[in-house]
Amino acid sequence: MGISRRQFLGWLGAAGAGATAVSRAEAASNKQFDGYPGSFGILHDTTRCIGCRKCEEACNKVNELPAPEQPFDDLSVLDKTRRTRSDVFTVVNQFQKEDSQLPVFVKKQCNHCLEPACASACFVRALRKVKTGAVIYDESLCVGCRYCMVACPFNIPAYEYNEAITPRVTKCTMCHPRIEKGLLPGCVESCPKEALAFGTRERLLKTARRRIQKYPNAYIDHIYGEQEMGGTSWLTISGTHFSEIGMREDLGTQTASSFTAGPLAAVPVVVALWPVLLTGIYAISKRKDKIADEERIHAVAQTVADANEEMQVKLAKMKDSMAKEKEAAINLEVKRALEEAAKEAAESQQASEEAGSETPKEEK
Amino acid sequence: MPQETAQVNKSIFTPFNVIAGMIIFCGLIITVLRFTGGLGAVTNLDDNNPWGIWIGFDLLCGVALAAGGYVTSASCYIFGLKRFHSAVRPAILTAFLGYALVVMALHYDVGRPWRLPYPIFLSPGTTSLLFEVGLCVFLYLTVLFIEFSPAALEWLGLKKIRNLVVRLTLVLTIFGVILSTLHQSSLGALYMIAPSKLHPLWYSGYLPVFFFVSSVFAGLSMVIFEGSLAHRHLHHKMDETHLEESAGVALGFGKAAAFVMMGYVGVKFIGIAMDNNWHYLATGWGLWFLLELIGFVVVPAFMYAIAARDRNLRLVRWASILAVLGVVLNRLNISVVAFNWHLPSADRYFPSWMEIAISLFIVTIGVVVYRFVTTRMPIFYEHPDYEH
Amino acid sequence: MDALFYTLHDFLLHSKSITYMMMGAVLIGLLLFWLFLSGRDEKKRTF
């Protein structure tokens, strides 16, 4: 029975959505990418952190990691600055400020870059940024080349060096599976002092700015992660300069992919133009060879021709002289024959004259 | 011929065989350890230093020093310098062995070597320069295999296939040069993603250019160096053409290398100027950088130049050793020495003896296979049936 | 078709994948075109 009005409107809406999707896709193919809209992040306020290591404990439990050698309530661990390991996705480090007796505690884990260096470096797409805001790792693709660890500016990914057959790269997942289920990340949930806050990145940025504005003396006017390496989903605010609490301030605001964009762009150019250049050089060198060959052949022919001509001249001369000689010889012969004939004639004359009168004078 | 067999029968316990045997035995034991205990059991790698000498030496130096293959075949077949023809086969053989060993070394270094085809066939991560390197090395290894195959086919007496393959020479050479340009430069570009970790004197937007240009003189120097070794030990395997041309090859390549090296020095300094890194030259790192650039590039370049002017074969050979060491030093500086330079010394990497042993093991395998092939196949001489 | 890219990385992954295929096509195309271009030239040994 025909289509209902609602159905029709639904289709229209779908078509409209399709149309906008297309136009947005076109818009998206320019150089501006703003990340997944409404993706989540975590704000770490170091001024609130008391270094209780509850977040470490929760992380360990949520990710089903092996129990540590020293229990989580043993705070002597904080005496040493630590980094993330294959079985430790987050650590809290303690920094002593020079001008104050109070230490500063800083939680360290994957910062979940908006444009992750690790994902850009991965040659099997085992790492990717997903719409929740997390940068997640797919063990089933990983070859174990560890280029992600080279690429990460925050030195976060760790590797199971002692695993012989199935070593993995490990790092904080921002509790991506829990977020999908509507749960808070383990560390955020366990924090007793609200030093960690979960929410959309936009909201967290506003929160951070509000706090800095409200207590300008308590905070440095900078949100770490707003711009660093193109921005990260994990944001940190602090009362101490970040470089003093183990966070690099010299990373810049460019995304990791911008560092490799140049060489990557050069690759197809080389592929397309090298054959032209090389074949050109080859053709030129071959052509030169050919010309050299032709010149040689020509030169040889010329020499031969020259030689021939010379020979012709010589031959002609020889012929000439031979002819002359012959002529001379003939003349001589003729002369001799004539003389002979004359002599004979004279003799016969003499003989006949002897018969009549003697002519001895002519004899001599 | 009878003399040769007598030599073979004499004794297998020559000094070379004994040392090679010991290294290979060691290597096999460490191989077992590596594949039963993981990387942690044999290497000093850690979370801050994920790449050690298996990448820095085996991959970076291996590929750079195997550049002789494309350089020699290009100069002979593309640039038409036919007087280098007798150098092509040894160079192709070395390149083929070099790349095969690089791939073998990668099997030690990556966590799950059986997944090495993944990037090409299953899930290509095209934004990665490592993908580019992997694809090119894979394709170039195939190209080198085909380029080398005529020698093996002549040895086996398979005339028809051999003639078919020889007809592809030009296409393969051009394809080989393209692939080499790409992956030699991309090996340098691998480090461009980590400007925060590599010392500014070595980090540059020109890294791919530096790597490509240095691969050219690395390849040229390696051909000269290898040629001098081969002359000493495999002289009896060389035919008259090879012996006649070899001095010309060494001097010609030395001259070419000298000029390329000076161009390289030029772009290196332009790189410093572009990033305005002059002030680093006055530091300890700067001295180390200058030692690499002056001591191991400018000096051998001048040695080559003098040797080419005086037609001094001995000097060319000495220069080639220094130039090869210079390329090795450069690759190790970028991958190990100047990488993570900002970390405290306790967090820095130094290779374990087992890592060094595996690298030695792989080089030794290369030398043994090279000897095996050159004493059997027509490498230093033209097969009597196929002379032209 | 998923043509909407939220991150530069996704965009690059997409565009570079196509670029790599183009590279293969260009290589083969250039080879065939060269053969066409020099098809009437006199035959000569190329090695």
Side-chain angles (χ1 to χ4, degrees), chain A residues 42-54:
Chain A
I42 291 165
L43 173 65
H44 176 38
D45 189 338
T46 61
T47 63
R48 297 185 181 189
C49 183
I50 54 166
C52 65
R53 299 185 71 211
K54 285 274 192 291

Side-chain angles (χ1 to χ4, degrees), chain C:
Chain C
M1 197 182 112
D2 187 15
L4 186 57
F5 303 108
Y6 290 105
T7 62
L8 175 64
H9 176 243
D10 280 348
F11 170 75
L12 288 175
L13 208 52
H14 181 77
S15 64
K16 295 288 171 202
S17 300
I18 295 172
T19 313
Y20 270 102
M21 299 213 250
M22 290 294 298
M23 285 187 233
V26 165
L27 270 181
I28 295 166
L30 279 173
L31 176 65
L32 294 177
F33 186 69
W34 174 255
L35 289 177
F36 169 69
L37 188 63
S38 57
R40 294 269 168 94
D41 294 1
E42 48 190 305
K43 288 268 180 284
K44 204 189 169 214
R45 276 163 67 95
T46 53
F47 46 87

Side-chain angles (χ1 to χ4, degrees), chain B residues 275-303:
Chain B
D275 295 334
N276 202 28
N277 281 332
W278 299 106
H279 60 284
Y280 285 109
L281 288 178
T283 64
W285 286 104
L287 291 180
W288 184 243
F289 176 84
L290 289 175
L291 177 75
E292 178 202 308
L293 198 57
I294 308 290
F296 289 88
V297 185
V298 175
V299 169
F302 267 102
M303 285 166 73

Side-chain angles (χ1 to χ4, degrees), chain A residues 61-352:
Chain A
K61 213 174 90 188
V62 164
N63 290 297
E64 293 164 1
L65 299 172
E69 279 172 40
Q70 283 164 290
F72 286 107
D73 50 15
D74 181 356
L75 297 183
S76 69
V77 173
L78 294 170
D79 294 342
K80 257 177 33 189
T81 304
R82 298 170 296 155
R83 62 153 288 161
T84 52
R85 312 224 75 94
S86 60
D87 53 355
V88 182
F89 294 176
T90 184
V91 291
V92 174
N93 279 320
Q94 173 182 268
F95 295 90
Q96 196 63 50
K97 272 200 292 185
E98 277 166 28
D99 53 344
S100 146
Q101 293 304 306
L102 291 169
V104 179
F105 299 98
V106 184
K107 183 178 178 301
K108 185 175 186 169
Q109 71 299 304
C110 175
N111 284 332
H112 300 278
C113 303
L114 298 182
E115 296 291 347
C118 55
S120 169
C122 184
F123 71 160
V124 283
R125 296 187 293 194
L127 287 151
R128 62 202 168 94
K129 180 86 175 170
V130 292
K131 65 176 192 292
T132 53
V135 176
I136 58 168
Y137 166 74
D138 184 352
E139 187 198 330
S140 68
L141 291 172
C142 181
V143 180
C145 72
R146 308 187 297 289
Y147 189 32
C148 49
M149 298 165 69
V150 170
C152 178
F154 304 107
N155 271 344
I156 294 301
Y159 185 72
E160 295 179 322
Y161 281 102
N162 292 317
E163 199 68 52
I165 308 300
T166 58
R168 289 172 301 175
V169 168
T170 62
K171 67 172 201 66
C172 158
T173 63
M174 210 179 172
C175 283
H176 175 69
R178 281 172 65 89
I179 294 175
E180 282 198 317
K181 275 188 235 161
L183 297 168
L184 282 175
C187 52
V188 178
E189 195 178 58
S190 68
C191 184
K193 302 300 278 184
E194 291 185 0
L196 296 171
F198 179 83
T200 64
R201 187 170 181 270
E202 286 110 83
R203 238 193 64 207
L204 293 177
L205 278 171
K206 279 181 197 142
T207 311
R209 278 197 203 103
R210 210 167 43 237
R211 284 188 203 168
I212 293 171
Q213 219 161 21
K214 208 168 174 188
Y215 306 103
N217 295 328
Y219 292 102
I220 298 289
D221 188 13
H222 182 82
I223 305 170
Y224 195 95
E226 186 182 10
Q227 304 289 341
E228 273 75 12
M229 295 300 289
T232 61
S233 291
W234 198 287
L235 305 167
T236 308
I237 48 176
S238 158
T240 324
H241 280 291
F242 291 98
S243 56
E244 288 167 30
I245 52 172
M247 298 168 85
R248 295 186 66 168
E249 287 179 337
D250 59 349
L251 296 177
T253 58
Q254 273 186 294
T255 63
S257 20
S258 68
F259 301 134
T260 54
L264 276 174
V267 169
V269 175
V270 169
V271 170
L273 296 184
W274 248 225
V276 177
L277 181 74
L278 295 171
T279 314
I281 293 173
Y282 163 75
I284 291 168
S285 85
K286 206 178 113 179
R287 179 95 193 111
K288 272 186 168 169
D289 280 357
K290 211 179 152 194
I291 291 170
D293 271 358
E294 274 168 5
E295 274 173 358
R296 204 170 52 232
I297 290 165
H298 185 71
V300 167
Q302 190 65 48
T303 333
V304 169
D306 286 357
N308 272 349
E309 206 173 311
E310 218 171 297
M311 207 130 85
Q312 286 298 330
V313 172
K314 256 187 198 167
L315 217 70
K317 263 186 197 164
M318 225 180 340
K319 256 187 192 165
D320 217 37
S321 63
M322 256 162 79
K324 271 179 192 163
E325 264 169 44
K326 216 173 171 182
E327 212 179 77
I330 290 169
N331 284 349
L332 203 74
E333 280 310 293
V334 169
K335 211 174 158 188
R336 204 175 282 163
L338 279 175
E339 273 173 13
E340 205 97 328
K343 205 168 136 192
E344 259 170 46
E347 266 171 20
S348 61
Q349 208 182 349
Q350 205 177 14
S352 62

